[in-house]
Amino acid sequence: WASGPAQLGYGDDDETTVISFGSDSDKKYTTSYFRHEFSVSDPAQYVNSRIMLQRDDGAVVYLNGSEIARDSMPQGEVNSNTFARSTAGDAQEHAFVEHRIDPSLLLDGVNVIAVEVHQTSLKSSDVSFDLQLEARKTLPPVEIRRGPYLQSGTTSSAVVCWRTNVES
């Protein structure tokens, strides 16, 4: 696999990494494939996971072999010859679309995110792809360690304090 920073693609002159469309500009590749490995320690601590996907024209995203997002693609099985349902216009090809994902799909250790980006025709002028994966950690349960107690008392006010196991 060739590698490089996002945005990946060709034809818009805003790509950071330019990919090949094949040897014939009248019969460009229908599908371009991307993958990235990343490591996770203790995946059970992650919640509220999502991806932000930028694609031109359509895409299917997989996490560790499970489909997690499909955008502008027909339902059912797709292969390297499957065309996207519609062309991504100017605003669409630059927009990031949010897809929530099940954080239980994260593995302890190496994970693989794979994306296939599909064109609407063999003569499509461009491909654009970028993806962000966000997974937020759960907060530990809050335990009161000290208090509540009153501090700085006056005849008309007091400060109520307590300490927990969570640092602020």
Side-chain angles (χ1 to χ4, degrees):
W1 293 81
S3 64
Q7 176 184 25
L8 299 105
Y10 63 81
D12 287 331
D13 295 327
D14 63 351
E15 301 84 9
T16 305
T17 300
V18 176
I19 65 169
S20 174
F21 56 74
S23 59
D24 186 345
S25 62
D26 287 329
K27 294 182 182 173
K28 295 177 181 151
Y29 296 141
T30 303
T31 307
S32 299
Y33 296 92
F34 306 91
R35 63 182 279 144
H36 180 75
E37 291 184 354
F38 61 98
S39 293
V40 174
S41 296
D42 192 13
Q45 67 180 323
Y46 290 94
V47 296
N48 294 331
S49 300
R50 70 179 185 160
I51 59 166
M52 300 297 290
L53 172 67
Q54 179 188 35
R55 85 310 180 261
D56 178 4
D57 292 309
V60 183
V61 183
Y62 304 89
L63 177 58
N64 298 319
S66 295
E67 183 178 322
I68 60 171
R70 185 179 288 231
D71 208 342
S72 191
M73 292 296 296
Q75 294 300 314
E77 188 175 331
V78 297
N79 60 42
S80 62
N81 296 315
T82 304
F83 289 110
R85 285 191 327 229
S86 60
T87 301
D90 288 335
Q92 288 177 317
E93 70 183 59
H94 298 290
F96 281 86
V97 178
E98 178 179 333
H99 296 272
R100 295 280 174 189
I101 61 173
D102 181 354
S104 70
L105 295 173
L106 291 170
L107 303 175
D108 192 15
V110 177
N111 290 261
V112 177
I113 194 153
V115 182
E116 50 187 81
V117 177
H118 295 256
Q119 299 288 65
T120 56
S121 78
L122 296 176
K123 293 187 178 193
S124 183
S125 63
D126 61 354
V127 166
S128 296
F129 167 68
D130 197 350
L131 185 131
Q132 300 168 15
L133 169 65
E134 296 177 1
R136 301 192 189 270
K137 289 184 176 182
T138 59
L139 295 175
V142 176
E143 300 170 5
I144 295 178
R145 298 271 169 97
R146 181 174 172 213
Y149 55 94
L150 297 177
Q151 196 172 24
S152 304
T154 69
T155 57
S156 61
S157 68
V159 175
V160 179
C161 298
W162 61 89
R163 290 190 186 157
T164 69
N165 62 321
V166 179
E167 293 187 30
S168 57

